[in-house]
Amino acid sequence: MRFFQRFTIFLFVFFSFIATKPLFAAPTLTDRSRVEQWREDLRYLAAELPKRHKNLFHTMTREQFDTAVRELDARLATLTDNQVAMELGRLVAMIGDGHTRLIPLFEPSLKFRLFPLKTYWFKEGIFVQAADKAYADAVGGRIVAIDGTPIEQVVAKLAPYIPKENDMGLRNVVTLYMNSPEVLQAVGLISDLEKVAFSIENKGVRKTFEISPKGFATALVDKPIGTDWIDARAGSVNPTPLWMKGGRPGYWGESGGYWYEYIKDSRLLYVQLNQVQDKPDQTLAAFMQEVETFAKSNDVDKLVMDLRLNGGGNNGLVPLIIRPIIQLEKIDQRGHFFVIIGRQTFSAAQNLVNAIEKYTNAVFVGEPTGSHVNMYGDARRFILPNSKITVRASTLWHQDNIELDKRTWTPPDVAAALTFADYSQNIDTAMQAILNYKPQSPLRDTAMALFQANDLKSFRAKAIEFKNNPVNQYQSIEADINSFGYRLVSLQKMDDAIEMFKLNVELYPNSANAYDSLGEAYANTGKRDEAIKSYEKALKIDPALASSRDALAKLKGN
């Protein structure tokens, strides 16, 4: 898969802004020739996307797409340039794959500007990591509202405009979108482009900052923030954590690509892999061979491969990364090989995660990936004829796993999202989770033993304990419980089966399938009213669930 067009590089770089008067103006398109130019671009986009994309209508219908095009066409004369550009971006985002995108922020002709803030969506919320010294008091604060709109509503308003495949993709990008006045104005969140009110809560005190844009999004440069910026980590006595030492230029660290470091006290070999692509001075194959040789020649007990900043590259190189790991038999064991993943793990990095999951015994730590497990990719660009805006469309379908694998991400075995509290103290939340990791028997093994011993009371307690443990935030045991329920059905232990299915709806109240299974168990034991209620709840969650719909019709005699 081709490299992610350096998209994720731009999303989080620590940047220097050009201090100049804003050149952007947002005139209404009253001039017929300008309206017609935009209309021509819109029609070109609508014609080219279905031809260029591998399967444009995999998440929407042709009718939905055509309706959106017609509605935008009818509004063109009433919109400003930045509004039209954002609406074109929304049209492309409807396609639902992260490689297919139109991003107005980085179009030179549009001159979208940015506020002098660096923000990030931490576990506790969206915080100001760093800012121009003029807004030093905002640093370390949680953004509560923008121009009076609560931050949750700001995110919801921006979400349809952002190319993404899951919620992690949204978290990866939305903080940059909300950092541009032209974006905020285009979606109706602000009216004044020159001064925007940010409500920020810092140490329990809420304060409003009137923040003005400073420089253009296209002026982002790959270097750390300058001396006129204040960072929330400035007061930390702890050294810079490993993952921030070798980040992409201008983002978390000062070097990029891939590198490793041995932590002798912990007998831990840390490998940061920020791209699935050869560096000019070293191939990935040579680097991984070096890692393998080092691990075999030194007292290494744990290997950590950090992919949280990896936005992709060439998936043809994935085998060259996997093979050396498999050769490290003492390391490729549960509790000895860890892989850190996150919202920026995308594209060819997702292909790498798929291979690691399939062929190694890795423990995944961090956040879910920003990509579907099976995905559309290999985006090719085309240019709109008048505005010269760049559009990218996916041309290939990558299916690493079976077709039935519909996962929208790869979840971590150990959830360890970065907290602002840790960030401000130079603590790596994910690495702390790895250092504190204690191998345990998989819940399925424990559950099976209890199940076979007919100790359903202990099974219930174990399942609830597992579900409520924050470490297991992204691990689902719904399918396991459902499977045990049907085992009980096959053994004619219907009362126990009902209790098992009831446990599932208790733990997963938003699962239509869990209610469907409970309804089936009730129906098979002649509990008609309870079955009807369960099927109705299933259909309320998923109106298209055929098994519940058909069973309900039969129970009601329709």
Side-chain angles (χ1 to χ4, degrees):
M1 189 171 299
R2 295 187 180 275
F3 191 55
F4 191 30
Q5 301 293 334
R6 294 180 62 82
F7 177 44
T8 51
I9 296 179
F10 289 124
L11 296 182
F12 290 102
V13 294
F14 279 137
F15 43 78
S16 298
F17 291 94
I18 297 177
T20 184
K21 293 182 179 179
L23 301 178
F24 183 84
T28 301
L29 300 179
T30 56
D31 181 339
R32 176 176 172 77
S33 66
R34 296 182 68 235
V35 174
E36 288 305 316
Q37 287 180 28
W38 277 117
R39 181 161 289 127
E40 184 179 337
D41 279 4
L42 173 60
R43 290 174 178 173
Y44 183 78
L45 177 71
E48 290 298 311
L49 277 174
K51 290 190 295 186
R52 294 173 181 265
H53 196 282
K54 177 66 176 177
N55 179 16
L56 192 73
F57 306 110
H58 65 281
T59 58
M60 63 175 174
T61 65
R62 178 76 196 227
E63 182 181 3
Q64 288 172 322
F65 180 70
D66 289 344
T67 298
V69 171
R70 286 195 301 271
E71 290 176 349
L72 177 54
D73 186 280
R75 297 169 54 210
L76 285 177
T78 67
L79 301 177
T80 60
D81 282 354
N82 61 318
Q83 288 172 327
V84 176
M86 285 295 293
E87 290 305 313
L88 291 175
R90 182 180 63 83
L91 190 65
V92 175
M94 287 176 61
I95 297 162
D97 80 74
H99 287 86
T100 301
R101 57 193 184 271
L102 185 163
I103 306 170
L105 274 167
F106 300 125
E107 293 298 328
S109 62
L110 295 172
K111 298 183 174 67
F112 277 40
R113 297 170 297 168
L114 295 174
F115 301 110
L117 303 176
K118 176 71 178 72
T119 58
Y120 186 82
W121 193 333
F122 293 91
K123 185 176 182 178
E124 307 97 322
I126 297 175
F127 282 73
V128 178
Q129 288 175 282
D132 185 279
K133 62 182 179 182
Y135 306 106
D137 289 346
V139 175
R142 181 174 62 88
I143 301 176
V144 178
I146 297 178
D147 240 30
T149 301
I151 196 64
E152 296 80 10
Q153 294 180 29
V154 172
V155 171
K157 189 75 171 178
L158 290 172
Y161 296 85
I162 294 174
K164 59 188 179 299
E165 298 191 1
N166 54 40
D167 183 59
M168 289 296 110
L170 175 66
R171 288 170 180 253
N172 189 33
V173 182
V174 73
T175 52
L176 183 63
Y177 272 61
M178 69 174 58
N179 206 33
S180 169
E182 281 71 37
V183 169
L184 296 176
Q185 186 268 344
V187 302
L189 288 167
I190 65 171
S191 55
D192 187 349
L193 287 165
E194 305 306 322
K195 192 173 291 185
V196 178
F198 280 74
S199 296
I200 295 175
E201 187 176 278
N202 202 338
K203 297 178 181 178
V205 178
R206 187 174 298 186
K207 183 178 179 180
T208 298
F209 295 82
E210 298 288 343
I211 299 181
S212 299
K214 186 178 180 182
F216 302 109
T218 50
L220 295 176
V221 294
D222 292 346
K223 64 180 181 182
I225 18 181
T227 55
D228 56 344
W229 279 63
I230 307 297
D231 189 279
R233 300 182 297 118
S236 174
V237 298
N238 297 318
T240 301
L242 283 171
W243 77 286
M244 295 175 68
K245 287 182 179 179
R248 287 194 170 111
Y251 174 26
W252 298 100
E254 299 181 3
S255 64
Y258 33 82
W259 60 281
Y260 66 87
E261 184 170 326
Y262 179 54
I263 314 302
K264 188 173 183 179
D265 290 347
S266 303
R267 299 166 61 208
L268 184 149
L269 181 60
Y270 174 85
V271 179
Q272 188 174 69
L273 200 66
N274 291 337
Q275 62 188 50
V276 187
Q277 184 163 294
D278 291 335
K279 293 195 298 186
D281 59 339
Q282 185 185 39
T283 66
L284 252 177
F287 171 74
M288 289 305 301
Q289 186 59 57
E290 188 177 325
V291 169
E292 180 187 348
T293 300
F294 185 94
K296 288 180 175 179
S297 304
N298 292 273
D299 183 20
V300 175
D301 180 61
K302 292 183 176 67
L303 174 66
V304 175
M305 180 174 286
D306 194 340
L307 303 178
R308 79 185 96 176
L309 302 182
N310 196 320
N314 178 0
N315 60 11
L317 298 177
V318 167
L320 303 179
I321 302 171
I322 291 293
R323 286 171 190 155
I325 299 298
I326 296 174
Q327 297 300 316
L328 300 172
E329 296 181 8
K330 293 183 179 179
I331 294 297
D332 184 21
Q333 302 293 333
R334 196 80 176 170
H336 294 272
F337 179 36
F338 298 87
V339 178
I340 303 178
I341 55 176
R343 63 190 71 177
Q344 283 186 264
T345 310
F346 186 84
S347 193
Q350 179 67 56
N351 295 126
L352 174 57
V353 166
N354 295 343
I356 290 172
E357 183 179 44
K358 191 180 298 184
Y359 299 116
T360 78
N361 296 296
V363 175
F364 291 101
V365 179
E367 295 180 313
T369 58
S371 176
H372 286 179
V373 173
N374 296 322
M375 76 195 94
Y376 291 94
D378 285 74
R380 301 292 186 271
R381 70 174 189 164
F382 62 96
I383 309 295
L384 301 185
N386 297 304
S387 63
K388 306 303 179 185
I389 290 176
T390 298
V391 185
R392 289 181 172 84
S394 294
T395 62
L396 292 178
W397 167 246
H398 289 269
Q399 184 173 308
D400 289 345
N401 291 350
I402 62 172
E403 186 179 356
L404 291 175
D405 192 343
K406 305 293 185 183
R407 286 180 296 168
T408 58
W409 58 36
T410 298
D413 299 301
V414 178
L418 182 63
T419 69
F420 177 76
D422 282 350
Y423 169 80
S424 63
Q425 294 302 314
N426 273 331
I427 296 171
D428 183 349
T429 309
M431 280 295 288
Q432 285 297 115
I434 290 171
L435 293 173
N436 295 331
Y437 179 82
K438 294 180 180 179
Q440 296 180 348
S441 298
L443 178 67
R444 170 174 274 277
D445 293 348
T446 303
M448 180 60 77
L450 294 171
F451 178 82
Q452 291 174 338
N454 200 30
D455 188 355
L456 298 187
K457 183 177 180 180
S458 295
F459 174 88
R460 174 185 172 83
K462 254 321 180 196
I464 292 174
E465 178 187 355
F466 181 92
K467 180 68 165 56
N468 292 338
N469 188 337
V471 166
N472 302 320
Q473 178 182 352
Y474 298 105
Q475 292 297 310
S476 174
I477 53 173
E478 179 189 348
D480 291 335
I481 296 175
N482 215 46
S483 175
F484 287 137
Y486 280 109
R487 283 172 180 258
L488 289 166
V489 170
S490 68
L491 295 172
Q492 298 298 307
K493 296 181 177 181
M494 296 306 298
D495 289 342
D496 288 340
I498 288 174
E499 290 304 312
M500 189 68 69
F501 292 132
K502 285 170 67 176
L503 171 63
N504 225 10
V505 299
E506 177 185 336
L507 296 180
Y508 299 96
N510 296 318
S511 169
N513 187 63
Y515 278 106
D516 181 81
S517 297
L518 179 59
E520 182 182 350
Y522 278 138
N524 288 339
T525 54
K527 298 179 179 180
R528 178 177 178 276
D529 291 343
E530 290 91 337
I532 288 174
K533 289 179 182 178
S534 292
Y535 283 130
E536 286 177 340
K537 287 180 179 178
L539 289 172
K540 187 175 182 180
I541 297 169
D542 181 5
L545 188 60
S547 56
S548 286
R549 186 179 62 243
D550 294 345
L552 192 60
K554 184 177 180 180
L555 285 168
K556 290 184 175 182
N558 296 332

